[in-house]
Amino acid sequence: MMNDYMIPTSIKEVQKLGWDYIDVILFSGDAFVDHPSFGTACIARYLQHFGYRVAVVPQPNWRDDLRDFKKLGAPRLYFGVNAGAMDSMVNHYTAWKRLRHDDAYTPEGKFGQRPDYAVTVYTKILKQLYPDIPVVIGGVEASLRRLTHYDYWQDRLFPSVLVSSGADYLCYGMGEKPMIQLTRAIENGWSAHQMHQLPQIGFFLKGKCKLKDALYLHSFEECCEDKVAFAENFHLIETHANMMHPQVIIEPVADGYVQINPTCPPSTEKEMDSYWDLPFTKLPHPRYKDKRIPAYDMIKFSINTHRGCFGGCNFCTIAAHQGKFIQSRSEESILKEVKALTKLPGFAGNISDLGAPTANMYGMGGKDRSLCEKCRRKSCLYPSPCKNLDRSHARVLNLYKQVDATKGIRHSYIGSGIRYDLFLDEKGFVDETSKPYFCELVLKHTSGRLKVAPEHTEDKVLDYMAKPSFRLFERLRKEFDGVNRAAGTHVELVPYFISSHPGCTMKDMDRLCHHPALKGIWMDQVQDFMPTPMTTSSVMFYTGLDPRTMKPVFVERDPDKKRAQKSFFFKK
């Protein structure tokens, strides 16, 4: 294994290391922060751990003479490309397609430091400059655009980003395991046939696929002609994305086809620990000196406990990228990071977030894993909790206590989302760990406001969102008020809602904002629905069909009426 070093981002830094070659050069749309919450750092450090020389080019200038793409020359193995932690179009535009004025992933929040469709733009430049060097694309933008997808900003279907970018390979989802396998394969000169057996990658080939045991989708061209074909495709894609053992997926396009190979198995606890047991500095690269990177400020004193989410919300992309099956770190690994956090500059003893996409899913999974191996459910919670799901909060409660007992820790807050249907049903708490968890969450781990996401009050709309009935929120508020009264505290309950989601009408928004269960709650958290690639809700928005049932869905597409739905929320 190589000695630890700061990942180089310039030729001077490469020369200082004494390198005469670079194995892998990663291009990213984000500023480079050497922190495990940033995917570029995760892949760079993981490849470094296995002895590869990795350099990063953050936010290259694509408008000038392309010197940023040339400055490090050609890598020995391949270029890696990602748009950053967000899809570049989501990063650039609001739900009303207005240009944003800042970018949290850029020094000083400066806007305009990455292009629209960054993966495609960067890849095309690299293929033009270095046609013989493989380009591997990954990250959220590539992952969620791996097959035919609806693009809200151009209001049309796009083919796989493999086709539009010309990349050689696409690594989707969380990339440590597939990327080390791919890197070794390229280094060892594997044949094309061997490369095409690798898990969790995609690629485009010309001709007709001859695989027998594969899932064949409608072609991109058929989807463009027929919205029903697109909806049928998506239902199959989503079903397989939530299976532990999916099939190879084949989608014809133009004179060839895109092939998406099945995922690697979910990471074990030991593997998860190894991803965090890397020499991250947890700081922005020194090239930024004293410049502030807003996204880093938000996460620099946070701890990520696990990956994945089995909630299955129709508007969410977490499971499509991180997977449905929870992959947790050990308590020892987390506590090791907590202790290291106390030594970071500026740390005052407060962990801003001890969580993950859904904080209270830590350590959860199926009681009988063999049933999970065969499961085809998108959600373990909707329309009702799976009977095989172990919803005990004992392990996460124990984790909180150990973290809080660590020397130098004053508070550990839960800033990420929680699912209250994991510990509540309409009758009350679901097991003996549920109430202790809720009390602990409200009284010890909430910084003044407990944020939850019922998303709507109307069951019809909630069904299109794949969210539980609002009656569960009503039960939550009753229990929440009881905890506050008993403790003499004044923690606020802040619900989040979505307007203009498929199936939502003005009458639904009227009923939402006048719902008696929301009386006395300050409600300013409403978001206009934004269709993003690879979600059921986006497919509904584009096709007017529910891909689960193929039945028609009302969709509000008129921009003025969408604004009216959101503004109606505040009319009281």
Side-chain angles (χ1 to χ4, degrees):
M1 184 169 61
M2 300 181 73
N3 293 329
D4 301 342
Y5 59 85
M6 172 60 74
I7 304 291
T9 64
S10 69
I11 191 65
K12 285 185 179 180
E13 292 166 5
V14 170
Q15 291 170 345
K16 191 174 180 181
L17 290 167
W19 291 359
D20 55 355
Y21 66 88
I22 304 170
D23 291 310
V24 178
I25 302 175
L26 304 178
F27 284 80
S28 176
D30 287 346
F32 183 50
V33 179
D34 190 19
H35 189 287
S37 291
F38 293 79
T40 302
C42 292
I43 299 303
R45 286 295 184 189
Y46 199 62
L47 294 179
Q48 173 203 348
H49 173 74
F50 288 97
Y52 293 102
R53 295 180 176 182
V54 184
V56 172
V57 180
Q59 301 190 310
N61 190 335
W62 73 100
R63 300 185 184 100
D64 60 5
D65 59 3
L66 307 181
R67 68 187 68 181
D68 284 347
F69 293 87
K70 304 172 187 174
K71 65 183 182 181
L72 299 182
R76 184 172 70 95
L77 300 178
Y78 63 85
F79 290 109
V81 169
N82 68 66
M86 296 174 65
D87 184 284
S88 56
M89 302 305 287
V90 177
N91 178 278
H92 283 173
Y93 300 95
T94 69
W96 296 341
K97 301 185 182 181
R98 291 176 178 168
L99 205 60
R100 300 187 193 274
H101 300 295
D102 55 11
D103 181 346
Y105 294 89
T106 299
E108 304 300 344
K110 186 178 179 183
F111 184 80
Q113 302 307 295
R114 82 188 80 213
D116 287 358
Y117 308 106
V119 166
T120 295
V121 172
Y122 294 162
T123 302
K124 283 184 172 180
I125 290 171
L126 290 168
K127 294 305 287 183
Q128 177 188 347
L129 295 174
Y130 306 97
D132 298 327
I133 305 295
V135 176
V136 181
I137 57 177
V140 168
E141 181 165 300
S143 183
L144 301 181
R145 295 173 180 265
R146 58 187 182 258
L147 290 159
T148 297
H149 56 279
Y150 172 63
D151 186 84
Y152 174 61
W153 300 272
Q154 293 195 33
D155 193 27
R156 65 182 179 90
L157 295 186
F158 277 19
S160 165
V161 68
L162 280 161
V163 176
S164 56
S165 70
D168 297 276
Y169 300 102
L170 184 157
C171 174
Y172 67 95
M174 309 308 282
E176 288 93 347
K177 284 200 284 189
M179 285 301 292
I180 189 61
Q181 293 182 50
L182 181 63
T183 304
R184 286 170 169 165
I186 292 174
E187 181 178 38
N188 293 329
W190 281 20
S191 68
H193 176 73
Q194 289 174 308
M195 296 289 291
H196 296 161
Q197 312 308 308
L198 289 169
Q200 209 166 315
I201 66 164
F203 45 86
F204 171 77
L205 293 175
K206 290 189 176 182
K208 189 174 181 179
C209 182
K210 297 178 182 178
L211 288 177
K212 292 182 180 179
D213 187 21
L215 174 66
Y216 284 83
L217 303 176
H218 298 293
S219 70
F220 166 69
E221 291 77 13
E222 287 176 298
C223 290
C224 291
E225 291 292 325
D226 183 2
K227 291 182 176 180
V228 171
F230 176 59
E232 289 175 343
N233 267 16
F234 181 80
H235 181 63
L236 291 170
I237 293 166
E238 186 175 51
T239 298
H240 280 254
N242 288 291
M243 290 168 57
M244 198 171 286
H245 302 292
Q247 290 176 271
V248 172
I249 295 178
I250 303 295
E251 184 179 66
V253 53
D255 59 350
Y257 60 94
V258 169
Q259 179 170 323
I260 303 296
N261 287 347
T263 56
C264 296
S267 293
T268 64
E269 184 175 278
K270 186 176 180 181
E271 287 171 334
M272 285 291 289
D273 288 355
S274 75
Y275 305 153
W276 268 263
D277 191 26
L278 295 169
F280 297 104
T281 64
K282 288 201 142 187
L283 298 169
H285 192 277
R287 66 186 282 142
Y288 304 115
K289 297 181 180 177
D290 296 325
K291 291 182 179 177
R292 175 177 172 262
I293 300 172
Y296 170 69
D297 286 349
M298 289 186 275
I299 58 85
K300 62 182 175 181
F301 299 138
S302 67
I303 301 283
N304 197 299
T305 58
H306 61 282
R307 289 174 176 174
C309 181
F310 51 73
C313 300
N314 280 343
F315 49 79
C316 182
T317 59
I318 291 169
H321 185 63
Q322 293 197 11
K324 179 179 80 172
F325 301 99
I326 301 302
Q327 301 153 78
S328 298
R329 299 167 62 189
S330 70
E331 289 84 351
E332 292 75 17
S333 172
I334 294 167
L335 290 170
K336 180 181 176 182
E337 186 179 0
V338 169
K339 290 172 185 174
L341 196 63
T342 63
K343 299 173 184 176
L344 268 183
F347 183 70
N350 298 316
I351 298 175
S352 61
D353 184 21
L354 182 64
T358 303
N360 57 325
M361 287 183 183
Y362 175 73
M364 291 189 180
K367 300 169 189 173
D368 181 348
R369 188 179 170 88
S370 67
L371 296 179
C372 298
E373 299 263 355
K374 303 174 222 174
C375 181
R376 296 172 69 93
R377 280 182 63 159
K378 173 186 173 181
S379 171
C380 303
L381 292 174
Y382 185 85
S384 61
C386 175
K387 293 179 180 178
N388 187 47
L389 177 63
D390 182 358
R391 289 194 275 174
S392 171
H393 285 70
R395 186 174 176 188
V396 72
L397 268 170
N398 182 54
L399 174 67
Y400 293 171
K401 288 173 183 174
Q402 290 185 72
V403 169
D404 288 349
T406 302
K407 185 178 179 180
I409 299 301
R410 295 170 58 198
H411 300 288
S412 59
Y413 296 114
I414 312 303
S416 42
I418 60 147
R419 286 289 298 234
Y420 48 85
D421 48 352
L422 280 171
F423 54 80
L424 269 183
D425 60 24
E426 292 176 27
K427 296 177 182 177
F429 293 106
V430 299
D431 68 8
E432 68 279 0
T433 69
S434 296
K435 187 169 184 179
Y437 172 78
F438 186 56
C439 292
E440 175 99 358
L441 173 71
V442 174
L443 301 178
K444 294 186 179 180
H445 301 284
T446 300
S447 181
R449 304 177 108 196
L450 177 63
K451 299 171 184 177
V452 294
E455 309 297 6
H456 215 285
T457 57
E458 305 309 295
D459 284 350
K460 171 178 67 74
V461 181
L462 288 166
D463 179 63
Y464 288 126
M465 295 177 171
K467 294 286 288 186
S469 170
F470 189 69
R471 291 188 296 276
L472 198 57
F473 174 82
E474 295 178 54
R475 182 74 198 202
L476 176 77
R477 185 173 184 189
K478 178 182 177 182
E479 300 294 348
F480 177 83
D481 290 345
V483 169
N484 255 336
R485 272 195 309 272
T489 52
H490 301 283
V491 179
E492 290 183 71
L493 186 63
V494 181
Y496 281 69
F497 296 98
I498 296 177
S499 62
S500 301
H501 187 278
C504 181
T505 66
M506 284 296 292
K507 287 184 179 179
D508 293 318
M509 291 306 294
D510 183 14
R511 286 191 282 266
L512 188 161
C513 75
H514 290 103
H515 200 289
L518 298 174
K519 187 177 180 181
I521 292 179
W522 178 256
M523 296 195 305
D524 61 349
Q525 302 295 334
V526 62
Q527 179 180 341
D528 191 53
F529 170 68
M530 180 191 288
T532 54
M534 210 168 174
T535 69
T536 299
S537 299
S538 298
V539 175
M540 290 182 191
F541 182 88
Y542 171 68
T543 64
L545 300 168
D546 184 339
R548 302 169 299 178
T549 63
M550 301 307 294
K551 292 181 179 179
V553 182
F554 167 77
V555 177
E556 187 56 82
R557 294 188 182 87
D558 184 283
D560 292 331
K561 291 181 179 178
K562 280 170 67 70
R563 288 188 190 92
Q565 277 208 26
K566 184 173 181 179
S567 63
F568 199 97
F569 184 90
F570 301 101
K571 296 176 182 177
K572 288 210 168 185

